[in-house]
Amino acid sequence: MKKNQNVYQESIGKGGELHQTTNQDELTLTTAQGTPIADDQNSLKAGVRGSTLLEDQILREKLFHFDHERIPERVVHARGYGAHGYFQNYQSLSDITCADIFQRKNEKTPLFVRFSTVAGSKGSVDLARDVRGFAVKFYTKQGNWDLVGNNMPVFFIQDAIKFPDLVHSAKAEPDRGFPQAQTAHDNFWDFISLTPESMHMIMWAMSDRAIPRSFRFMEGFGVHTFRLINAKGKSHFVKFHWKPKLGMQSVIWNEAVKINGADPDFHRRDLWNAIQSGEYPEWELGMQVFDEEFAEKFEFDVLDATKLIPEEQVPVKLVGKMVLNRVVDNFFAETEQVAFCTQNIVPGIDQSEDPLLQGRNFSYLDTQLKRLGSPNFTHLPINAPKCPFHHFQQDGHMAMHNPKGRANYEPNSWEEGGPRENPEKGFKSYPLETDGKKVRQRSETFADHYSQARQFYVSQTKLEREHIASALVFELSKVEHKAIRQRLVSHLLNIHPDLAKEVKEGLGLAKMPKPAEPKLPTNEELPILDSLSIIKNSLNTFAGRRLGVLVGDGVDAELIKSLKKTLKKEKSDIAFIAPTINGVKDCKGKNIKADEIIEGGPSVVFDAVALLCSKDSIDTLAENSATRDFLYDAKNHGKFIGYSSEAKMVLDKLNLTKKDGGFIELKDSQSIEQFIKNCRDLRFWKRLDS
Ligand code: HDE
């Protein structure tokens, strides 16, 4: 065999070590047709320096396939990240639904989740201010059920006919092709300020919910009202919720901006790392179940997706948990090709008449055909049901399971005639009585656009309200047309005068505009709902979070040992940041491997930080300008900062002499325990409040 000079001579083992290999050790490379390839380094040429020959089937096949590698990205939710896991019931729900997935206590059902941002394209950044998609495909024993939700319980619009307008306005402007993954531009705020029904969602989108710390720390919502149907055919309405076991957490806008530069994949990396390290993320599935009678009494229309049903009014019953325990084998095959469809429901679950949901039921199937190129996208392993399925659908691009035998229609009289309908087990739509005129009209019961927006705003803590105001000021400051800014402020006046005033002042508007003409006046009597605030629902845990420890040579080995032990007990992660990627030597001469260099691991990617060094490394750290950014950012973002007695000199040199209660000296295992205990508050809020 000809020895090819370019075939690898080395390979990297599982432990990172280099092995010498020979050609014969490797699997033989073939074409897609299975033909073994002798030379994958050179195309076929007419003479060593001659033209490439058209007959080179190996080159042509390789380039042909490469040229067609991309499929259209999703029109919305293009950037996403998926993982496998399971759902496990806490109890049987057979009294309210006959859905097979909810019948047996403790039973597990496999599932696939895809989290996403909405506006940005596939290659955009993770920390955009945006709604997050929270789509779950349950592979139940009676077919796939897709719960395609978001991390916010309401939506911008009430009727599907406005969706293309909403999305066009949010995405890059068509003439200039920017901005990417941002709503901070004229088109979006023009559309929004002309669409008062969006005001409630705008409060959510401008709140900290739109910049989650990671997917693991956000809630999920089915948004629409759905139906549960039991074996007797009785219907209840239901709203679906996902509650993260680790509690909610968001970043600060200034952190988000910097994380996007430091690690645009921050959220996907976080999910990947958590699963790979065995810290499987969990959410509990909650249901708000109510009947027609409640729906009639409720102040708002349960079919209006711009309204939520307060947990305080209808409690969320936790019915089971979702555990994500497996990363994908291949991003494209699974995360990119997964096709969620809102019309994928199973017996025992049904749609409601929410006009947004009804439109979605058309749109998702349609978009999958465009994206995946064939009605046979259900044949892809990620989309195929895991229960037996039998039907007479056939042919089309890439058909992989055509019906076997002669029968491909029904009814038929063949002895082996294939599957038959099953009136008992089969899906039945709820026989809702309906009459009325065919109209193009918005129901009057959808007319209140401001009351729940106000309720959301007043339910936030002072700091969270400030964040909403500054997000609005930031976004509107990027809007070029003053009239649009003013129009938006005129809506804020119907939500809360304080918010309108803050935004007006933040924008430097000379005069307060008149309030927008509301269809219905704002109900100012709605109660404060603690369930809507992230901070009020804090769980007081540092579990699942990450401490960034900036170390210098000669660092106290005992402190490091104790820190590692305490964090392990807390189920939190630790990362070492050092002047070089080779790490540092501790006081006993042992190497501490660095995860990041100081420029590569800014404090924004950690939940709390510590600075540990010896006398010998004070100058090296203090003179590195990245150390200054690391510590100043940590301070400005309200992070807890632990420091060793020697590291105090670094802080002093950098003028961080005023130390509030968020700065904690780490002397021994006791002070380390106290430090981590404090970190459970996630931030030293007082520093941010002042
Ligand atoms: Fe979507 N949406 N949407 N949406 N949506 C899509 O389907 C659409 C809406 C949501 O990870 C698309 O496969 C219409 C609400 C998620 O693959 C598309 C309307 C909610 C995902 C589509 C809505 C969502 C999508 C684009 C208004 C929260 C990502 C690619 C009537 C409850 C799923 C695709 C994934 C994706 C249409 C409104 C959530 C075009 C027409 C409300 C999480 O079909």
Side-chain angles (χ1 to χ4, degrees), residues 1-4 23-24 38:
M1 198 174 93
K2 187 184 88 185
K3 181 94 183 113
N4 194 318
N23 282 1
Q24 286 86 341

Coordinates of all heavy atoms in Angstrom, one line a residue, residues 1-4 23-24 38:
M1 N 0.8 -1.2 0.0 CA 0.0 0.0 0.0 C 0.9 1.2 0.0 O 1.9 1.3 0.7 CB -0.9 0.0 1.3 CG -2.0 0.9 1.1 SD -3.1 0.7 2.6 CE -2.5 1.9 3.6
K2 N 0.5 2.2 -0.8 CA 1.2 3.5 -0.9 C 1.2 4.2 0.5 O 0.1 4.3 1.1 CB 0.6 4.3 -2.0 CG 1.4 5.6 -2.3 CD 0.6 6.4 -3.3 CE -0.3 7.4 -2.6 NZ -1.2 8.1 -3.4
K3 N 2.3 4.6 1.0 CA 2.3 5.3 2.3 C 1.9 6.8 2.0 O 2.6 7.4 1.2 CB 3.7 5.2 2.9 CG 3.9 5.9 4.2 CD 3.6 4.9 5.3 CE 3.7 5.6 6.7 NZ 2.5 5.6 7.4
N4 N 0.9 7.2 2.6 CA 0.5 8.6 2.3 C 1.0 9.5 3.4 O 0.8 9.4 4.6 CB -1.0 8.7 2.3 CG -1.5 10.0 1.7 OD1 -0.9 11.0 2.0 ND2 -2.5 9.9 0.9
N23 N -2.1 3.5 9.5 CA -3.3 3.5 8.7 C -4.2 2.3 9.0 O -5.4 2.4 9.1 CB -2.9 3.4 7.2 CG -2.4 4.7 6.7 OD1 -2.4 5.7 7.5 ND2 -2.1 4.7 5.5
Q24 N -3.5 1.1 9.2 CA -4.3 -0.1 9.4 C -5.1 -0.1 10.6 O -6.1 -0.9 10.7 CB -3.3 -1.3 9.3 CG -2.8 -1.7 8.0 CD -1.5 -0.9 7.6 OE1 -1.2 0.1 8.3 NE2 -0.8 -1.4 6.6
A38 N -8.9 5.3 -1.0 CA -7.5 5.1 -0.8 C -6.7 6.4 -0.5 O -5.7 6.4 0.3 CB -6.9 4.5 -2.1

